[in-house]
Amino acid sequence: MTENTVDAFSLPVLERRSPSLTLRRLADLPVVVVEHPEARAALTLQGAQLIAWQPAGERPVLWLSGASAFREGKAVRGGVPICWPWFGPVSSPSHGFARISAWTLDAHEETAGAVHLTLTLRSDARTRELWPHDFTLTARFTLGRKCEITLTAEGDHTSTGALHSYFRVGAADQVSVSGLGDHYIDKVRDGAEGVQRGDLTFPGHVDRIYTRPQDAALVRDPTLGRTIEVRHHDASDAVAWNPGAKLSTEMADVPDDGYTEFVCVETARITRPLTTTENTPTAFGVALSLEHP
């Protein structure tokens, strides 16, 4: 695929599970597609990765790279990848194995306002080679005019993670983000600490971990005339990222001009890891909604 983005809703229907839920395939990857009166959405069973969401009557909210391979075991660029049980290149694979593992669709429910999905990933011999812990990881989605994602970890372990949201924008260098808090770790400057003054903008490569975010960040996009509210639940950090022009041309799964079409504002547990015991699961999540001036 050479287009910058992918239309999951044009994929052929392989199986209908309910009035709003169908199973389809994007190259090698099984895809669950939601077409509900209040919203459309799609997610891959690999990674339990939301790759599309748009409330009825709205433009798509998430960006998905058409340059992704869409192959088993390969990370998909865009949507909302689940980074777990570690964030970043601290081990291999980068950002953990959850986003390249096959999840199980355990439950789905339709109401007048939304579709609710529950997907599960459990430890096995393959995951124990990468990370020597038993676990159950559950991702719950509410997909309507608001999009909510909650990630729950169970077991006896400590982990980090993020819901790595890619937001589709009209022009990244015109976007501003408020609500990130005042302190950040700047990964572009080798982990130097910084103080945020005013809103964040994206004039070039941005890669920051904000360690004291407010409960909600506002992604203001004057080009598309909308604001995306990113409301964090039980998170310790918010991550802001855009590769900028130079890095975008070096990334095989991002079109050369792809960096102009998205910004990432992620809900994360990095500086305060998820610590679980056999009797105490730990969760964090995000709720996304749109506002118009």
Side-chain angles (χ1 to χ4, degrees):
M1 301 181 183
T2 58
E3 300 87 355
N4 279 13
T5 58
V6 175
D7 180 11
F9 306 104
S10 66
L11 300 170
V13 174
L14 303 179
E15 180 183 345
R16 181 167 293 278
R17 289 286 183 91
S18 71
S20 297
L21 201 70
T22 56
L23 297 182
R24 311 188 191 195
R25 182 171 290 274
L26 178 56
D28 287 349
L29 304 184
V31 177
V32 177
V33 174
V34 172
E35 294 178 297
H36 185 274
E38 295 297 329
R40 301 198 305 172
L43 57 86
T44 58
L45 292 182
Q46 174 173 283
Q49 183 166 340
L50 190 66
I51 59 172
W53 169 65
Q54 60 189 103
E58 301 283 0
R59 294 185 178 95
V61 178
L62 302 177
W63 181 85
L64 177 66
S65 174
S68 291
F70 304 109
R71 303 296 181 192
E72 291 182 7
K74 299 292 185 182
V76 172
R77 178 73 64 182
V80 187
I82 294 174
C83 303
W84 191 87
W86 54 81
F87 178 83
V90 296
S91 188
S92 181
S94 183
H95 287 313
F97 53 76
R99 65 177 181 160
I100 57 171
S101 297
W103 292 55
T104 302
L105 176 62
D106 283 341
H108 67 273
E109 178 187 4
E110 296 181 26
T111 64
V115 172
H116 307 270
L117 305 176
T118 300
L119 287 89
T120 306
L121 177 67
R122 294 179 174 86
S123 53
D124 57 22
R126 180 188 66 88
T127 66
R128 292 186 197 99
E129 290 182 357
L130 298 169
W131 194 59
H133 300 282
D134 291 327
F135 67 86
T136 299
L137 192 64
T138 304
R140 295 181 175 87
F141 298 82
T142 296
L143 302 166
R145 296 203 66 81
K146 179 183 289 187
C147 170
E148 298 184 53
I149 307 171
T150 301
L151 189 68
T152 303
E154 299 175 72
D156 190 359
H157 47 72
T158 298
S159 61
T160 57
L163 299 170
H164 193 322
S165 305
Y166 288 73
F167 296 118
R168 185 191 294 237
V169 298
D173 61 359
Q174 300 299 308
V175 169
S176 64
V177 184
S178 62
L180 293 171
D182 58 352
H183 177 264
Y184 63 85
I185 299 167
D186 194 337
K187 296 170 69 178
V188 174
R189 298 194 303 137
D190 298 321
E193 297 186 40
V195 176
Q196 183 67 41
R197 303 188 188 281
D199 293 352
L200 172 69
T201 57
F202 297 86
H205 185 193
V206 171
D207 192 353
R208 297 177 178 180
I209 301 172
Y210 286 84
T211 63
R212 295 193 288 263
Q214 298 175 20
D215 289 343
L218 297 177
V219 182
R220 295 183 176 88
D221 182 358
T223 306
L224 294 184
R226 68 185 184 186
T227 296
I228 304 169
E229 182 186 72
V230 185
R231 184 164 293 276
H232 314 292
H233 300 295
D234 299 308
S236 58
D237 312 277
V239 179
W241 182 71
N242 181 276
K246 182 177 184 298
L247 183 57
S248 187
T249 62
E250 297 170 0
M251 301 171 71
D253 57 357
V254 177
D256 287 354
D257 61 348
Y259 73 98
T260 67
E261 301 173 348
F262 70 85
V263 300
C264 292
V265 177
E266 311 166 33
T267 301
R269 288 288 293 268
I270 302 168
T271 59
R272 180 164 59 90
L274 294 159
T275 300
T276 69
T277 66
E278 291 183 2
N279 298 318
T280 309
T282 308
F284 72 103
V286 66
L288 308 176
S289 57
L290 288 180
E291 301 174 1
H292 293 278

Coordinates of all heavy atoms in Angstrom, one line a residue, residues 184-192 204-209 240-243 247:
Y184 N 9.2 17.9 32.1 CA 9.3 16.8 31.2 C 10.8 16.4 31.1 O 11.7 17.1 31.4 CB 8.8 17.3 29.8 CG 9.6 18.4 29.1 CD1 10.7 18.2 28.4 CD2 9.1 19.7 29.2 CE1 11.4 19.2 27.8 CE2 9.8 20.8 28.6 CZ 10.9 20.5 27.9 OH 11.6 21.6 27.3
I185 N 10.9 15.1 30.6 CA 12.2 14.6 30.2 C 12.3 14.6 28.7 O 11.4 14.0 28.0 CB 12.3 13.1 30.8 CG1 12.2 13.1 32.3 CG2 13.6 12.5 30.3 CD1 11.9 11.7 32.9
D186 N 13.3 15.2 28.2 CA 13.5 15.4 26.7 C 14.4 14.4 26.1 O 15.6 14.4 26.3 CB 14.0 16.8 26.5 CG 13.9 17.3 25.0 OD1 13.8 16.4 24.2 OD2 13.9 18.5 24.8
K187 N 13.8 13.4 25.5 CA 14.6 12.3 24.9 C 15.3 12.7 23.6 O 16.3 12.1 23.2 CB 13.6 11.1 24.6 CG 13.0 10.5 25.8 CD 11.9 9.5 25.5 CE 12.5 8.3 24.9 NZ 11.4 7.3 24.7
V188 N 14.9 13.9 23.0 CA 15.7 14.4 21.9 C 17.0 15.0 22.4 O 18.0 15.0 21.7 CB 14.9 15.5 21.2 CG1 15.7 16.2 20.1 CG2 13.7 14.8 20.5
R189 N 17.1 15.4 23.7 CA 18.3 16.0 24.3 C 18.8 15.1 25.3 O 19.3 15.5 26.4 CB 17.9 17.4 24.9 CG 17.5 18.4 23.9 CD 17.5 19.8 24.4 NE 16.7 19.9 25.6 CZ 17.0 20.6 26.7 NH1 18.2 21.2 26.8 NH2 16.2 20.6 27.8
D190 N 18.9 13.8 25.0 CA 19.5 12.8 25.8 C 19.0 12.7 27.3 O 19.8 12.5 28.2 CB 21.1 13.0 25.8 CG 21.7 12.8 24.5 OD1 21.3 12.0 23.7 OD2 22.6 13.6 24.1
G191 N 17.7 12.9 27.4 CA 17.1 12.8 28.7 C 17.2 14.0 29.6 O 17.0 14.0 30.8
A192 N 17.6 15.1 29.0 CA 17.7 16.4 29.8 C 16.3 16.8 30.3 O 15.3 16.5 29.6 CB 18.3 17.5 29.0
G204 N 9.3 20.6 15.0 CA 10.3 19.6 14.5 C 10.2 18.4 15.3 O 9.1 18.1 15.8
H205 N 11.3 17.6 15.4 CA 11.3 16.4 16.2 C 11.0 16.7 17.7 O 11.7 17.5 18.3 CB 12.7 15.7 16.1 CG 12.7 14.4 16.7 ND1 14.0 13.8 16.9 CD2 11.8 13.5 17.2 CE1 13.8 12.6 17.5 NE2 12.4 12.4 17.7
V206 N 9.9 16.1 18.2 CA 9.6 16.2 19.6 C 9.4 14.8 20.2 O 8.8 13.9 19.6 CB 8.2 17.0 19.8 CG1 7.7 16.9 21.2 CG2 8.4 18.4 19.3
D207 N 10.1 14.6 21.4 CA 10.0 13.3 22.1 C 10.2 13.6 23.5 O 11.3 13.6 24.0 CB 11.0 12.3 21.5 CG 10.8 10.9 22.0 OD1 9.9 10.7 22.8 OD2 11.5 10.0 21.5
R208 N 9.1 13.7 24.3 CA 9.1 14.1 25.7 C 8.2 13.3 26.5 O 7.1 12.9 26.1 CB 8.7 15.6 25.8 CG 9.6 16.6 25.1 CD 9.1 18.0 25.2 NE 9.9 19.0 24.6 CZ 9.7 20.3 24.6 NH1 8.6 20.8 25.1 NH2 10.6 21.1 24.0
I209 N 8.7 13.0 27.7 CA 7.9 12.3 28.8 C 7.5 13.4 29.8 O 8.4 13.9 30.5 CB 8.6 11.2 29.5 CG1 9.0 10.1 28.4 CG2 7.8 10.6 30.6 CD1 9.9 9.0 29.0
A240 N 4.6 13.0 24.5 CA 4.4 13.7 23.3 C 5.4 13.4 22.3 O 6.6 13.4 22.6 CB 4.3 15.2 23.6
W241 N 5.0 13.1 21.1 CA 6.0 12.6 20.1 C 5.6 13.0 18.7 O 4.4 12.9 18.3 CB 6.2 11.1 20.1 CG 7.3 10.6 19.2 CD1 8.6 10.8 19.2 CD2 7.0 9.9 18.0 NE1 9.2 10.2 18.1 CE2 8.3 9.6 17.4 CE3 5.8 9.4 17.4 CZ2 8.4 8.9 16.2 CZ3 6.0 8.7 16.2 CH2 7.2 8.4 15.6
N242 N 6.5 13.5 17.9 CA 6.4 13.6 16.4 C 7.8 13.5 15.9 O 8.8 14.1 16.4 CB 5.8 14.9 16.0 CG 5.6 15.1 14.5 OD1 6.6 15.5 13.9 ND2 4.5 14.8 14.0
P243 N 8.0 12.7 14.8 CA 9.4 12.4 14.4 C 10.1 13.6 13.6 O 11.3 13.6 13.5 CB 9.3 11.2 13.4 CG 7.8 11.4 12.9 CD 7.1 11.9 14.1
L247 N 13.7 12.5 10.7 CA 13.5 11.1 11.1 C 12.4 10.4 10.3 O 12.5 9.2 10.1 CB 13.2 11.1 12.6 CG 13.0 9.8 13.3 CD1 14.2 8.9 13.2 CD2 12.6 10.0 14.8

